[in-house]
Amino acid sequence: CVCVCMYVCIYIYIYACMHACSELDGNDCTKASAQSCGECIQVGEKCGWCTFENFLKQGESKSTRCDEVEALIKKGCPNGTIENPRGSVTVNQNKPVTNRKKDVAQTADQITQIQPQKLTLNLRAGKLIKFIKVDYYPVAYSQLYFSMKDDLENVKNLGTDLMKEMQTITSDFRIGFGSFVEKTVMPYISTTPAKLLNPCTADQNCTSPFSYKNVLKLTKNGAEFNKLVSKQQISGNLDSPEGGFDAIMQVAVCGEQIGWRNVTRLLVFSTDAGFHFAGDGKLGGIVLPNDGKCHLKDNMYTMSHYYDYPSIAHLVQKLSDNNIQTIFAVTEEFQSVYKELKNLIPKSAVGTLSSNSSNVIKLIIDAYNSLSSEVILENSKLPEGVSISYVSHCKNGVSETGDNGRKCSNISIGDEVSFDVAITAKGCPSHGKSETIKIKPLGFNEEVVIVLNFICECECHDNGVANSDKCHFGNGTFECGACRCNEGRIGRVCECSKDDVRTEDLDANCRMDNGTDICSNNGDCICGTCECKKRDNPEERYEGKFCECDNFNCDRSNNKLCGGHGQCVCRVCVCDTNYTGSACDCSLDTQSCVASNGQICNGRGTCECGVCKCTDQKFQGPTCEICPTCPGVCTEHKACVQCRAFQTGEFKDTCQEKCSYFNLAIVDKKEDLPQPNSQPYLTHCKERDANDCWFFFTYSTGNDTVQVYVVKDPECPAGPDIIPIVAGLVAGIVLIGLALLLIWKLLMIIHDRREFAKFEKEKMNAKWDAQENPIYKSPINKFQNPSYGRKGGAL
């Protein structure tokens, strides 16, 4: 076996809480109907219990004392009387981590990997703890068998060569050696006497077959390793798979014989063949499952013929329990098989072994670096009702949750990684005792031990008075402001036995005005007293002796209870200051009714519930300032401005009486008028008088005065120039007449020319003589006898 050591430290932050660290539904505390403070605080970490004796109102049950802290304060429970115990973290052992010093050899006893080492958590809240990365890591190496007969020469100097390589990266190094072949029964090996002595061919000298033997205990002496390796002889078996799993199991569990120290360990498993596993032993008649115990006697495994091969799951458990990490150094042919095995064994690696094992050292170094660059957290079995989750904070600020929250990869010596660990308890264990869990990096020996103490009762529980007179003649214990009833007793003060519930006599006390409804159908009659039902919404509740009142059935405004400006008390709104009305929707504040001129509702209405009610029907709008049918400011004051500034207009005779309500100022030109925004409520006006002249003025109100500025000279249009108009009209008429005459003359010329051309054409087409009558026809016709004048012939 070869052993190399390096220590890794990680900072771990642990947060613990009772029940759930996630957000609780706001109703969980009230839905639980807790009857005591202890029951209440186990519902959730937000739940508190009011110990104020006079907290409960008539009709409310004891469970009303259990609610979220903010809700209890809102209901009137004094802050100092709320039981809400918080958890705590006590660091019992906090030895600082050790960083490796260069050129200084440090043993495992001198190095601390994890800080702190032990904690005590009182579960209902939590705190943070930590630990860093130093150097120290263990390795073990195991091999050889018949099919690797050429490998011994290559590994004879492995001890000293590997030690030189590892000393460059670790301060402490030990090396050991073991070998395995197969179970010594048929059909795995030949049991003939000759083959038991020499399983190889006649020309080869092999040692007798064996299952597993530990050749060299872990040591710092590399030369001794070389010496013992050089003395080894190969052996052989019949089938292809080998009994390597038996060897791994013995290496894992035989710590004293192997020489494992209390440090992290690495096992290098080298082979060029497959493996047997649980169930294969039936071929040799071996049916007993592997017991996972050490059976080395004189460094030889003596129970291979008795126990079956271990299963993969069994190996995973033992390797994890003993903090052993495995490197499978196998040939190319079996790479795929052992890579699948690697996926089942945490913190393991697979390397390709050359056909003659010449690259063993390089393979070990590479695999070692790969394993040491990853840290994976694991925890021991959790108590019932307790769960744990991790968040990793790795290099370069990378954080992961879920399954990846347990590990950090690609880290090197000196890198710092941390983990947030959340421990959640759903309630108190039935036995009420403390529990212990352990968290450690996979493959490391050191661990964080966490003792869990569960907060199951409030502090006020210890001050309870048993058989108190406050609990109906001693039928309960008065604690935390309420009675915890003895067995068989119920009620707010344990005033009734369970057998008395719902009897006719007691029900009569729960009917209002001798009615038929018990507790107004809003509660249960418990021992002659109404205990009101709870609502899904913890803010809503029934109250009163007969549960006849509630705080959620009042008038609403804008879909808000009491308009959002009051409280519902026994189905009646009690309004806040400056609000009134059945739904508190009537505001007494008149600020919203102030118009732009500073008057309430522009002086044309009344302010009711913060809204203007216009008394003048012509006006409307939120402040009665809009008048769609009214003339504008300019038109309204036009006549008065005319009579005051120009002594004209309809009010010129009564100007003094009707138009003295404003101050008048005359300016020379329009540019001298006040500009916009220079005065409050300023309006620019342009109006026309009876002479079609435009006059300009401004009208502004402010400080209870009206100011008017007027341009002294109106702008009147100039009179028309008659001569150019008359001359233009005459010239136009003449020009139009000439144009019409010319057009008529042109049309006549065109017509005459067309008629003459037509006459000439007809003349040329005539074919009769002028001396003959073209319509006369002679009555005489001439014909020639065809035989007349024929000469000679006979008849």
Side-chain angles (χ1 to χ4, degrees):
C1 294
V2 180
C3 181
V4 184
C5 302
M6 188 186 86
Y7 276 45
V8 175
C9 296
I10 308 132
Y11 286 95
I12 293 184
Y13 302 83
I14 293 185
Y15 175 75
C17 64
M18 177 67 101
H19 186 39
C21 295
S22 60
E23 290 293 327
L24 288 172
D25 188 313
N27 299 330
D28 284 355
C29 302
T30 56
K31 283 182 178 179
S33 298
Q35 298 298 308
S36 66
C37 186
E39 292 180 13
C40 179
I41 64 173
Q42 293 183 49
V43 176
E45 54 103 12
K46 285 188 176 183
C47 300
W49 177 271
C50 183
T51 62
F52 184 52
E53 285 191 45
N54 299 323
F55 171 69
L56 296 181
K57 297 179 181 178
Q58 195 167 33
E60 291 183 334
S61 63
K62 284 188 294 184
S63 61
T64 307
R65 293 181 178 272
C66 183
D67 206 337
E68 294 184 0
V69 174
E70 293 181 359
L72 291 175
I73 295 175
K74 192 174 180 180
K75 290 179 183 178
C77 183
N79 195 25
T81 61
I82 296 177
E83 280 283 336
N84 184 28
R86 312 307 298 168
S88 62
V89 176
T90 302
V91 181
N92 306 109
Q93 187 176 353
N94 194 27
K95 188 177 179 181
V97 297
T98 305
N99 289 312
R100 178 191 172 189
K101 299 178 182 179
K102 291 185 177 180
D103 303 326
V104 177
Q106 293 174 294
T107 64
D109 297 336
Q110 298 172 320
I111 295 178
T112 300
Q113 303 176 90
I114 303 174
Q115 178 189 1
Q117 294 77 38
K118 186 175 182 180
L119 299 169
T120 298
L121 301 183
N122 295 316
L123 275 186
R124 217 188 172 229
K127 192 184 174 183
L128 307 178
I129 63 168
K130 62 182 180 179
F131 69 93
I132 190 172
K133 186 171 181 5
V134 193
D135 71 356
Y136 205 69
Y137 214 103
V139 178
Y141 177 75
S142 171
Q143 75 163 46
L144 287 170
Y145 53 93
F146 171 74
S147 64
M148 300 175 66
K149 60 184 180 181
D150 56 344
D151 295 344
L152 283 176
E153 291 297 326
N154 290 313
V155 299
K156 285 182 178 178
N157 295 320
L158 178 63
T160 53
D161 293 343
L162 184 58
M163 185 168 290
K164 291 178 182 179
E165 291 289 336
M166 295 300 291
Q167 282 176 347
T168 62
I169 56 176
T170 182
S171 58
D172 197 358
F173 174 80
R174 296 190 181 186
I175 189 170
F177 177 75
S179 60
F180 64 88
V181 180
E182 186 56 278
K183 289 184 180 294
T184 55
V185 296
M186 282 289 289
Y188 311 111
I189 66 169
S190 175
T191 56
T192 60
K195 289 295 183 181
L196 285 176
L197 294 176
N198 183 8
C200 301
T201 58
D203 59 340
Q204 292 177 322
N205 186 21
C206 296
T207 187
S208 299
F210 55 89
S211 177
Y212 166 74
K213 65 178 176 181
N214 181 35
V215 180
L216 177 63
K217 192 175 182 179
L218 289 167
T219 179
K220 291 184 177 181
N221 192 339
E224 184 178 359
F225 174 89
N226 295 341
K227 177 182 177 182
L228 289 175
V229 169
S230 64
K231 293 181 179 180
Q232 297 303 306
Q233 291 180 312
I234 61 175
S235 185
N237 59 308
L238 293 178
D239 59 345
S240 177
E242 298 172 336
F245 276 14
D246 276 340
I248 294 177
M249 178 62 75
Q250 293 304 301
V251 171
V253 299
C254 297
E256 184 177 351
Q257 290 88 337
I258 301 299
W260 293 121
R261 295 174 298 159
N262 191 25
V263 295
T264 316
R265 305 150 184 181
L266 189 65
L267 171 68
V268 180
F269 180 83
S270 178
T271 182
D272 63 355
F275 50 82
H276 285 294
F277 52 90
D280 289 352
K282 292 181 180 179
L283 295 173
I286 302 173
V287 295
L288 286 179
N290 194 288
D291 64 352
K293 296 181 179 179
C294 181
H295 296 288
L296 290 184
K297 185 176 181 180
D298 296 329
N299 289 323
M300 294 290 291
Y301 179 38
T302 59
M303 302 297 288
S304 66
H305 63 288
Y306 190 76
Y307 290 115
D308 193 5
Y309 302 98
S311 66
I312 296 176
H314 200 182
L315 276 184
V316 171
Q317 177 192 349
K318 292 301 180 180
L319 290 172
S320 176
D321 291 345
N322 293 279
N323 304 310
I324 296 175
Q325 301 172 73
T326 309
I327 297 175
F328 295 104
V330 298
T331 56
E332 183 69 31
E333 180 183 359
F334 291 93
Q335 278 286 302
S336 59
V337 175
Y338 283 90
K339 283 183 179 179
E340 291 296 327
L341 181 61
K342 168 188 174 295
N343 295 332
L344 301 175
I345 301 179
K347 288 291 282 184
S348 61
V350 176
T352 303
L353 190 68
S354 63
S355 59
N356 59 5
S357 303
S358 60
N359 67 331
V360 172
I361 292 181
K362 182 179 185 303
L363 187 152
I364 293 174
I365 297 299
D366 291 343
Y368 163 78
N369 289 330
S370 174
L371 287 175
S372 64
S373 67
E374 183 176 54
V375 175
I376 302 175
L377 289 188
E378 64 173 358
N379 52 267
S380 60
K381 184 179 179 181
L382 297 174
E384 183 180 359
V386 176
S387 61
I388 190 169
S389 62
Y390 298 85
V391 178
S392 62
H393 302 286
C394 307
K395 291 176 62 176
N396 302 321
V398 177
S399 296
E400 297 285 350
T401 59
D403 291 338
N404 292 330
R406 290 176 172 266
K407 63 184 180 181
C408 282
S409 303
N410 299 321
I411 61 174
S412 55
I413 295 176
D415 289 337
E416 179 179 308
V417 296
S418 62
F419 296 86
D420 294 340
V421 184
I423 300 176
T424 305
K426 293 183 179 179
C428 289
S430 56
H431 53 72
K433 297 180 181 179
S434 298
E435 298 281 358
T436 300
I437 62 175
K438 297 177 181 180
I439 300 175
K440 66 178 181 178
L442 190 62
F444 288 72
N445 251 13
E446 294 193 37
E447 60 192 7
V448 179
V449 178
I450 303 174
V451 179
L452 305 179
N453 294 325
F454 300 91
I455 301 176
C456 300
E457 287 290 353
C458 302
E459 292 182 5
C460 55
H461 170 75
D462 298 333
N463 300 323
V465 179
N467 302 321
S468 172
D469 292 337
K470 295 181 179 181
C471 300
H472 196 73
F473 304 106
N475 285 314
T477 299
F478 188 79
E479 62 179 46
C480 303
C483 287
R484 177 179 281 189
C485 299
N486 295 335
E487 185 68 26
R489 303 295 297 188
I490 56 175
R492 282 177 61 169
V493 292
C494 312
E495 68 273 23
C496 191
S497 68
K498 292 182 179 180
D499 297 334
D500 295 334
V501 178
R502 290 281 186 183
T503 62
E504 292 298 325
D505 292 339
L506 293 176
D507 285 350
N509 296 326
C510 297
R511 295 188 179 96
M512 184 173 61
D513 299 331
N514 294 323
T516 58
D517 294 335
I518 295 177
C519 298
S520 306
N521 287 329
N522 295 323
D524 297 318
C525 187
I526 307 297
C527 299
T529 302
C530 284
E531 289 196 2
C532 302
K533 296 177 181 177
K534 287 183 172 57
R535 302 273 297 177
D536 289 339
N537 185 347
E539 299 295 328
E540 299 177 356
R541 57 185 179 274
Y542 294 105
E543 299 172 338
K545 180 179 180 181
F546 302 101
C547 302
E548 73 278 11
C549 295
D550 62 60
N551 66 344
F552 55 87
N553 273 322
C554 291
D555 291 342
R556 294 176 179 266
S557 178
N558 294 327
N559 203 30
K560 293 181 180 179
L561 190 67
C562 296
H565 303 296
Q567 293 182 340
C568 183
V569 178
C570 201
R571 302 184 179 182
V572 176
C573 285
V574 178
C575 300
D576 298 337
T577 306
N578 289 333
Y579 285 93
T580 186
S582 62
C584 300
D585 54 352
C586 182
S587 174
L588 301 179
D589 187 3
T590 60
Q591 188 61 36
S592 60
C593 296
V594 177
S596 58
N597 59 6
Q599 296 180 323
I600 298 295
C601 298
N602 196 29
R604 303 180 187 275
T606 58
C607 185
E608 299 178 7
C609 298
V611 178
C612 282
K613 302 294 183 183
C614 302
T615 54
D616 191 336
Q617 300 300 318
K618 295 188 298 181
F619 289 86
Q620 55 186 259
T623 54
C624 300
E625 293 181 274
I626 301 174
C627 182
T629 61
C630 294
V633 172
C634 297
T635 304
E636 182 180 358
H637 302 287
K638 168 186 174 181
C640 283
V641 172
Q642 272 188 281
C643 77
R644 291 279 302 272
F646 308 110
Q647 291 77 44
T648 59
E650 60 180 301
F651 291 160
K652 66 178 180 178
D653 296 331
T654 59
C655 190
Q656 189 65 28
E657 298 174 5
K658 295 183 177 181
C659 303
S660 60
Y661 61 86
F662 60 83
N663 298 326
L664 181 67
I666 305 296
V667 298
D668 294 331
K669 50 187 177 180
K670 290 188 291 184
E671 289 75 11
D672 296 333
L673 292 173
Q675 297 304 308
N677 300 323
S678 63
Q679 296 182 15
Y681 315 114
L682 178 68
T683 303
H684 279 256
C685 300
K686 177 184 177 182
E687 294 294 330
R688 178 180 290 174
D689 61 14
N691 298 322
D692 286 335
C693 295
W694 294 99
F695 63 96
F696 302 88
F697 65 94
T698 61
Y699 184 92
S700 63
T701 59
N703 299 324
D704 298 327
T705 61
V706 178
Q707 182 69 44
V708 176
Y709 290 86
V710 184
V711 178
K712 67 178 182 178
D713 297 322
E715 290 185 0
C716 297
D721 194 348
I722 302 299
I723 295 175
I725 294 175
V726 173
L729 289 174
V730 172
I733 293 172
V734 172
L735 291 174
I736 292 172
L738 290 174
L740 292 175
L741 184 60
L742 289 173
I743 293 171
W744 175 82
K745 182 62 178 176
L746 180 60
L747 292 175
M748 292 302 294
I749 292 171
I750 294 172
H751 179 266
D752 290 345
R753 288 181 177 180
R754 286 180 177 176
E755 290 296 323
F756 181 76
K758 182 178 179 181
F759 171 77
E760 289 292 329
K761 184 178 180 181
E762 290 178 352
K763 181 180 178 181
M764 290 175 66
N765 290 336
K767 296 182 179 180
W768 49 275
D769 191 351
Q771 295 179 356
E772 295 180 359
N773 189 347
I775 63 174
Y776 172 76
K777 189 173 181 180
S778 177
I780 301 174
N781 291 321
K782 292 180 179 182
F783 298 94
Q784 186 177 356
N785 186 353
S787 64
Y788 173 77
R790 184 178 295 175
K791 297 178 179 181
L795 294 177

